[in-house]
């Protein structure tokens, strides 16, 4: 089992940047594939990006490609999401998730509580 805590959210102007962090506790962070999801007001939670257990494979939803970068540091039990050139439509609560299935799609098994990202236009 793994516990996940997100941080790094906040208010940013359109075009700005934020870096989200997800701190994992437990002994086996490096054995989990990880991902970021988000939920905007009035919308369903959607996939944003995923990274495999070793950090050698990543996938992104089309709307964030070229702007967001997912990464991880297994020595620090931490997952990151670097978000650049933020747009108002990126505003949402961002969640990190851990899972043991990555291909053909990531399947979440554990969730964090979320961190709010607000983008002003």
């Amino acid at each position: 089992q793994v516990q996940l805590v997100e941080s790094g959210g906040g208010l940013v102007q359109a075009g700005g940047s934020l870096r989200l962090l997800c701190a994992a506790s437990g002994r086996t962070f490096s054995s989990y594939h990880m991902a970021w999801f988000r939920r905007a007001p009035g919308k369903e939670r959607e996939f944003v990006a995923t990274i495999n257990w070793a950090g050698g494979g990543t996938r992104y939803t089309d709307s964030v490609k070229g702007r967001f970068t997912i990464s991880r540091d297994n020595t620090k039990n931490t997952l990151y999401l670097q978000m650049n050139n933020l747009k108002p439509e990126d505003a949402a609560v961002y969640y990190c998730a851990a899972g043991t299935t990555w291909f053909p799609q990531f399947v979440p098994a554990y969730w964090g509580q979320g961190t709010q990202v607000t983008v002003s236009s």
Side-chain angles (χ1 to χ4, degrees):
Q1 190 169 349
V2 61
Q3 292 78 43
L4 305 171
V5 179
E6 302 93 335
S7 63
L11 172 64
V12 64
Q13 287 188 331
S17 299
L18 280 176
R19 188 176 76 154
L20 304 184
L21 290 82
C22 174
S25 60
R27 299 176 298 168
T28 57
F29 174 74
S30 61
S31 64
Y32 288 99
H33 309 301
M34 300 296 295
W36 290 97
F37 289 75
R38 65 188 179 187
R39 177 178 284 159
K43 296 186 178 181
E44 294 187 354
R45 184 155 49 189
E46 66 169 349
F47 166 79
V48 176
T50 185
I51 188 167
N52 69 0
W53 70 271
T58 58
R59 293 195 297 268
Y60 299 87
T61 192
D62 286 346
S63 63
V64 308
K65 285 180 180 177
R67 299 188 299 121
F68 290 11
T69 302
I70 189 171
S71 61
R72 66 189 296 165
D73 186 338
N74 287 345
T75 67
K76 297 181 178 179
N77 285 4
T78 303
L79 173 73
Y80 305 95
L81 185 68
Q82 178 66 43
M83 304 186 295
N84 297 329
N85 190 21
L86 281 159
K87 303 177 180 181
E89 53 264 41
D90 294 318
V93 177
Y94 282 72
Y95 301 89
C96 69
T100 56
T101 300
W102 193 74
F103 189 85
Q105 70 178 23
F106 174 82
V107 178
Y110 303 100
W111 293 96
Q113 294 300 306
T115 185
Q116 177 72 51
V117 172
T118 304
V119 183
S120 63
S121 57

